[in-house]
Amino acid sequence: MPAGPAGGTKTKYEFFKVIQKYMDEACTVLDVPEYVRTILSQPKTELIVNFPVRMDDGSIRLFKGYRIQHNNLLGPYKGGMRFHENVTLDDAKALAAMMTIKCALMNLPYGGGKGGIKFNPNSVSRTELQRITRRFFHALGSNIGPETDIPAPDVGTDSRIMAWAMDTYMNSVGQGDKQAVKGVVTGKPVASGGTLGREAATGQGLVHCITEWAEDRNFKLGGATLTVQGFGNVGSNTAAILSKLGVSLIAVGDHTGYLFNPEGFNPYKLQEYVKKNRSIDGYPAGKKISREEFFRIKCDIFAPCALEGQVGVEEATALQTRLVAEGANGPTTPEAEKILLDRGIDILPDTLANSGGVTVSYYEWVQNKRSEQWSLEEVEDKLEKAMKRAYREVADMARDRKCSMRVAAYAVAINRIAQVYSEREIFP
Ligand code: NAD
């Protein structure tokens, strides 16, 4: 069976319900006031925009876009924009709630948001993609802004799309404000106000978590093996950075199929190939394998870096690994997580493991505010400290409250949010 949006799960994956349950479990672990649980159970705002775009052949096509603003207690909403044919309101709600958790966990002055457009960006031309992006951001109008809601790249979007988004927003404000609103999106190209280090930040953050885990477990990363599902921004950078630590990428897969090479792939060459060809399809090294075979490969680390719901019961039963390092958001279903943990397989949960992206997005936003450009070294240094601190806090919480790393990550975040609610209380 081809991997659909829910991948391993054969039934519909109710992503938002899953996230609501994690938030609930964390609230129980912490014993926070009931009203905190109630407020976090739903997003503050749900925006749906239907907007027309002129296609290259002259026809007009209607697109559906979403922006979910989950919570802004700690600061402006922050979160990615996804361009994918399976984008749904439910997924955007789940991902926005996860962003609230991630930002609070990383101690960033942001709340959570997420959005996207339901279409396949590979099915349109570059000029169409630009018009779709601009029309969507125009339709969102003042619902976004550098002090309101700050989008970033996610699946199907990249720095080029962020540059168009920023330019569209800039053209909607007065002449005098143009430079002041650069921070309306993050993940921009460096010359257009982006930061050094953002492109690889999510993968780099994941690697910091893996390094901490290896230290905790007395596990030697040099000579270890890795399999990666999803070879886009997160998957490819994770594999490339891990290769510098001596970790060998032996199997890889994306929406077009799976490849196996026991000798190890060169992740940099594969990354170049994917940038040019948009997928791993046709890559000359490695043997083609099925999705089922991919999940049975013996390895030390498995990094799901594609979409949610990819690791279901079957995959969790099949996996022969020590660690599942979640680069993607929501890749493991709750049933699969139970199986993995029962089998003694560790999980670095998404809200912790992939939070390097939003952390460096924050650095970009700060640089935009101050009209500064930090060195790569400065960005990487700050990110390393932030990831290691967060890992420690989550590991300590898991140990103290005897809960999973996932619930612990939610608990560290909700603890911060609950503290602020207790001080500010509810308006009016
Ligand atoms: P991307 O678009 O760059 O790459 C996505 C990858 O997933 C591609 O290789 C694609 O082929 C693959 N894929 C898509 N559908 C698949 C399927 N059905 N089966 C197997 N592979 C499939 O996206 P990205 O930015 O790397 O994001 C990947 C994941 O990481 C998402 O869950 C995203 O929310 C999460 N994430 C991204 C960032 C970031 O900074 N980009 C930050 C945090 C979390």
Side-chain angles (χ1 to χ4, degrees):
M1 185 183 123
T9 60
K10 303 278 188 281
T11 49
K12 188 178 153 19
Y13 186 43
E14 294 191 80
F15 197 8
F16 186 47
K17 270 198 186 151
V18 169
I19 302 305
Q20 282 173 314
K21 194 163 163 287
Y22 292 144
M23 289 195 292
D24 231 44
E25 277 178 51
C27 287
T28 305
V29 160
L30 291 169
D31 198 18
V32 296
E34 191 58 31
Y35 75 91
V36 175
R37 193 187 291 242
T38 307
I39 293 171
L40 293 178
S41 70
Q42 290 296 330
K44 200 161 169 184
T45 318
E46 299 176 29
L47 294 161
I48 302 181
V49 289
N50 293 296
F51 55 95
V53 176
R54 186 178 298 282
M55 307 308 280
D56 289 347
D57 66 2
S59 66
I60 303 289
R61 192 172 146 192
L62 198 63
F63 289 85
K64 190 181 279 296
Y66 302 94
R67 186 70 187 170
I68 303 297
Q69 299 172 327
H70 178 259
N71 185 283
N72 63 347
L73 181 76
L74 303 182
Y77 304 104
K78 182 89 193 78
M81 285 295 199
R82 182 174 288 194
F83 289 1
H84 193 277
E85 63 266 40
N86 293 325
V87 165
T88 64
L89 183 68
D90 183 74
D91 291 350
K93 282 162 71 170
L95 292 161
M98 288 180 77
M99 286 307 296
T100 298
I101 298 298
K102 252 185 251 186
C103 293
L105 168 61
M106 295 310 292
N107 229 340
L108 306 175
Y110 292 138
K114 200 81 174 196
I117 313 176
K118 190 177 176 59
F119 83 113
N120 175 0
N122 293 324
S123 69
V124 301
S125 70
R126 184 183 183 281
T127 50
E128 287 171 336
L129 186 61
Q130 179 168 171
R131 286 198 295 275
I132 295 164
T133 301
R134 286 186 182 278
R135 201 51 217 250
F136 176 45
F137 278 84
H138 179 76
L140 290 174
S142 58
N143 289 296
I144 61 165
E147 305 299 333
T148 321
D149 182 355
I150 307 142
D154 191 70
V155 176
T157 54
D158 55 15
S159 57
R160 175 186 55 161
I161 287 174
M162 292 305 118
W164 294 333
M166 177 190 73
D167 188 72
T168 304
Y169 189 82
M170 275 181 161
N171 278 292
S172 71
V173 299
Q175 281 298 332
D177 291 327
K178 277 194 173 183
Q179 295 313 314
V181 298
K182 266 191 183 161
V184 62
V185 291
T186 57
K188 302 177 290 282
V190 175
S192 293
T195 180
L196 295 166
R198 175 60 184 88
E199 196 77 23
T202 308
Q204 180 66 73
L206 185 57
V207 174
H208 287 313
C209 288
I210 293 172
T211 312
E212 289 299 288
W213 166 85
E215 233 169 72
D216 269 0
R217 290 275 185 255
N218 256 330
F219 176 78
K220 226 174 115 277
L221 283 174
T225 51
L226 167 76
T227 63
V228 175
Q229 187 202 34
F231 210 73
N233 175 299
V234 181
S236 68
N237 282 304
T238 300
I241 298 165
L242 277 176
S243 75
K244 292 192 228 164
L245 303 177
V247 179
S248 171
L249 174 68
I250 58 167
V252 61
D254 72 3
H255 67 285
T256 61
Y258 292 82
L259 292 172
F260 175 53
N261 183 358
E263 304 305 315
F265 292 97
N266 178 331
Y268 293 96
K269 279 194 181 151
L270 187 54
Q271 198 173 34
E272 274 309 299
Y273 181 88
V274 170
K275 272 191 184 147
K276 243 189 242 151
N277 300 283
R278 293 178 169 191
S279 76
I280 62 168
D281 190 32
Y283 189 64
K287 174 179 157 239
K288 272 193 179 182
I289 53 169
S290 68
R291 186 176 187 278
E292 286 72 20
E293 287 170 317
F294 172 82
F295 277 99
R296 282 202 298 269
I297 288 170
K298 195 167 171 7
C299 62
D300 296 306
I301 303 165
F302 164 56
C305 299
L307 294 175
E308 54 277 359
Q310 289 292 320
V311 185
V313 169
E314 271 178 31
E315 291 77 8
T317 311
L319 276 168
Q320 296 191 59
T321 189
R322 287 163 190 262
L323 175 70
V324 174
E326 295 184 342
N329 284 311
T332 313
T333 69
E335 301 75 31
E337 168 152 10
K338 188 171 179 318
I339 294 170
L340 291 171
L341 295 178
D342 285 349
R343 292 182 57 213
I345 298 171
D346 289 335
I347 302 174
L348 285 173
D350 45 15
T351 42
L352 166 69
N354 70 30
S355 60
V358 69
T359 303
V360 175
S361 271
Y362 166 65
Y363 302 155
E364 177 175 336
W365 185 72
V366 171
Q367 289 170 69
N368 290 161
K369 268 181 179 291
R370 298 184 187 164
S371 297
E372 287 178 3
Q373 179 79 71
W374 300 353
S375 68
L376 181 59
E377 201 183 14
E378 188 173 354
V379 170
E380 287 185 339
D381 226 50
K382 281 190 158 71
L383 175 65
E384 181 173 355
K385 287 196 181 91
M387 292 306 305
K388 290 188 169 171
R389 178 200 51 77
Y391 179 95
R392 241 340 92 216
E393 279 186 305
V394 173
D396 290 351
M397 176 71 83
R399 191 197 53 230
D400 295 349
R401 307 283 171 138
K402 297 187 177 42
C403 62
S404 68
M405 286 286 276
R406 188 180 313 281
V407 172
Y410 278 75
V412 172
I414 291 176
N415 214 9
R416 270 191 193 117
I417 293 169
Q419 169 76 24
V420 176
Y421 272 126
S422 78
E423 289 161 5
R424 283 169 50 177
E425 302 190 20
I426 306 299
F427 175 84

